[in-house]
Amino acid sequence: MSVETLENAGRSWPEHWQRVSLADAGRWMSGGTPSTSNEAYWGGDIPWISGASMKQFRITDSERCVTRFGAENGSRLVDKGAVLFIVRGMSLKSEFRIGVTQREVAFGQDCKALVPDDGIDPYYLAYAMRVLTPTILRMVEETSHGTGRLDTNRLSALEIGVPPLSEQRDIVAANDAFERRIGDLERVAQKRSTLLSAAVSALLRSQGSSGMTLGTMMVSCDPGITLGAHRAPQKRAAGYLRVANVRMGWIDTSDVASLESTSNDRPRYELEVGDVLVVEGHANPEQIGRTALVGPAEEGLLYQNHLFRLRFDRNEVLPEFAMLWLNSEAVRSYWISRCATSSGLYTINSRLLADAPFPVVPIEEQRKIVETWRTGIRAVDSLHGQIAKLRTIQQGVVEDFLSGRTRVTRT
């Protein structure tokens, strides 16, 4: 392991630490994809990790698996304790995915593996690389296909500080303590979400559909803007919501795309607080027609044509109640039994939407159901707030440990 001491490029670590370039931190390996036309290569018991499947820091499984024959003919194998990270893909535009293998896996060409040398803990190495995410993302280049590509020569030249192995493991243990606490809170939040969903579902089931349809209860149902080359953002860029932004019961605004707007777009397609958005189609039948409510954060955005915007007379139908009902088991069963599929994509149209069952519920009863939901959501949101705060504290503390500014105190 080639090392230096003291400072380089404005960074320094304690004198007893080693300065190590990522190129010298271990053995680098490139992955690959076995031929998909050879059935003998696929369907085995070895997870094949790709950019799309690397979603957890502790890498254990993948939706696609290869046989050992396949791994040896087109891919690469690494054992437990290898650091895997993404070097090509759309995700590189916003995040640097990295993790540590928990078992033997194969991996694709969108990934690189770094098998650490003796004296470097794999988790310490992964944490030290992950803390460099802002620097790494600035290295990402865009290919002609629009995906991100990471120059591994530049990446491997980055340096990390490496303390003695005992200190590395103390830092890993301190980070794991944060992860355990965060994991406990996440499990509580998930349990409360499940209980809330069950409670609201029970309230909705008690209403029945009353033989009425959504079309008789809504004021309007409008699809959004049809995209095309002429909509590439130029002089009048405007944010718009896509299918990916509309989740079941909430809107994800972490990645809002832009389009070129015209003077006629805002009167027709601008979203208002209380608008209800319904997804037109999805490859997963369980996700057909998933519905979310537009809030203050989304007000003023536009929306694409694969979403329906519903509006109601709020003296008769509360938008929150409409969202809850359209996400209910009764309506999901209706979609699954009637929706059409084309090339693996299940879709609904405006007529099918209008014919969906909808209960006639007194406004006061709607308010009670909505308030039950709001109370539960506030409790879950409070837990997510605690988790976010703990994540911020964790990041600062671990960065201090990795820089040597703070030492782990054993108790």
Side-chain angles (χ1 to χ4, degrees), residues 30 36 55 87 100 121 143-144 262 287 321 330 347 392:
S30 298
T36 56
K55 299 176 181 178
V87 294
V100 180
D121 183 275
T143 70
S144 58
T262 70
Q287 296 296 320
F321 177 81
T347 59
T392 300

Side-chain angles (χ1 to χ4, degrees), residues 136-209:
I136 291 171
L137 290 181
R138 286 195 293 271
M139 296 178 178
V140 175
E141 304 167 346
E142 186 169 311
T143 70
S144 58
H145 300 292
T147 60
R149 185 181 71 85
L150 188 56
D151 185 339
T152 52
N153 288 327
R154 295 179 64 192
L155 176 64
S156 65
L158 293 178
E159 293 180 325
I160 61 173
V162 180
L165 191 57
S166 60
E167 281 191 56
Q168 294 178 46
R169 289 173 175 163
D170 285 343
I171 292 170
V172 171
N175 187 74
D176 288 347
F178 275 105
E179 291 293 340
R180 285 193 295 274
R181 175 57 180 154
I182 290 169
D184 289 342
L185 289 173
E186 287 176 337
R187 283 186 287 275
V188 173
Q190 181 59 50
K191 183 176 181 180
R192 289 192 178 180
S193 294
T194 301
L195 292 173
L196 173 61
S197 178
V200 171
S201 293
L203 289 171
L204 292 172
R205 281 196 301 271
S206 69
Q207 305 307 315
S209 64

Side-chain angles (χ1 to χ4, degrees), residues 20-331:
V20 182
S21 71
L22 292 179
D24 294 324
R27 179 164 55 98
W28 287 63
M29 300 172 63
S30 298
T33 305
S35 172
T36 56
S37 62
N38 192 329
E39 294 182 358
Y41 291 167
W42 296 91
D45 58 0
I46 300 173
W48 182 77
I49 308 300
S50 66
S53 65
M54 192 187 298
K55 299 176 181 178
Q56 302 294 329
F57 180 75
R58 296 178 185 273
I59 301 169
T60 59
D61 208 349
S62 175
E63 294 177 355
R64 302 185 71 186
C65 292
V66 295
T67 62
R68 189 161 299 276
F69 186 44
E72 294 170 351
N73 288 271
S75 190
R76 295 291 293 275
L77 285 167
V78 288
D79 290 327
K80 177 181 178 180
V83 178
L84 288 186
F85 46 92
I86 304 302
V87 294
R88 188 174 67 183
M90 293 298 295
S91 66
L92 272 175
K93 292 187 174 184
S94 60
E95 61 178 324
F96 176 57
R97 295 182 183 176
I98 187 169
V100 180
T101 59
Q102 307 298 295
R103 53 169 293 183
E104 182 184 52
V105 302
F107 60 101
Q109 64 269 26
D110 290 348
C111 307
K112 291 282 187 183
L114 179 50
V115 180
D117 283 345
D118 292 341
I120 300 182
D121 183 275
Y123 295 96
Y124 177 86
L125 176 58
Y127 296 151
M129 291 179 67
R130 190 165 64 178
V131 89
L132 294 172
T133 291
T135 300
I136 291 171
L137 290 181
R138 286 195 293 271
M139 296 178 178
V140 175
E141 304 167 346
E142 186 169 311
T143 70
S144 58
H145 300 292
T147 60
R149 185 181 71 85
L150 188 56
D151 185 339
T152 52
N153 288 327
R154 295 179 64 192
L155 176 64
S156 65
L158 293 178
E159 293 180 325
I160 61 173
V162 180
L165 191 57
S166 60
E167 281 191 56
Q168 294 178 46
R169 289 173 175 163
D170 285 343
I171 292 170
V172 171
N175 187 74
D176 288 347
F178 275 105
E179 291 293 340
R180 285 193 295 274
R181 175 57 180 154
I182 290 169
D184 289 342
L185 289 173
E186 287 176 337
R187 283 186 287 275
V188 173
Q190 181 59 50
K191 183 176 181 180
R192 289 192 178 180
S193 294
T194 301
L195 292 173
L196 173 61
S197 178
V200 171
S201 293
L203 289 171
L204 292 172
R205 281 196 301 271
S206 69
Q207 305 307 315
S209 64
S210 306
M212 300 298 290
T213 64
L214 180 61
T216 61
M217 305 299 290
M218 62 187 178
V219 172
S220 64
C221 172
D222 301 298
I225 298 172
T226 300
L227 303 180
H230 65 293
R231 287 293 188 173
Q234 296 178 16
K235 297 180 180 179
R236 302 180 60 173
Y240 75 99
L241 296 182
R242 300 162 291 149
V243 168
N245 298 113
V246 178
R247 308 297 181 90
M248 189 172 291
W250 62 286
I251 295 177
D252 180 2
T253 56
S254 63
D255 182 22
V256 174
S258 296
L259 53 73
E260 182 70 7
S261 64
T262 70
S263 58
N264 295 324
D265 286 339
R266 293 215 170 272
R268 293 183 62 188
Y269 303 115
E270 189 171 53
L271 293 171
E272 300 175 359
V273 174
D275 285 345
V276 177
L277 292 176
V278 181
V279 170
E280 175 196 48
H282 203 278
N284 180 355
E286 291 294 331
Q287 296 296 320
I288 306 163
R290 67 187 183 207
T291 304
L293 186 69
V294 173
E298 300 84 42
E299 186 176 21
L301 293 174
L302 309 179
Y303 66 105
Q304 76 166 120
N305 62 315
H306 294 301
L307 298 171
F308 291 105
R309 181 189 63 191
L310 312 186
R311 288 177 172 169
F312 298 87
D313 180 343
R314 299 184 193 184
N315 292 317
E316 296 183 1
V317 178
L318 297 178
E320 296 91 339
F321 177 81
M323 177 195 71
L324 293 171
W325 175 259
L326 291 172
N327 282 330
S328 70
E329 294 175 6
V331 179

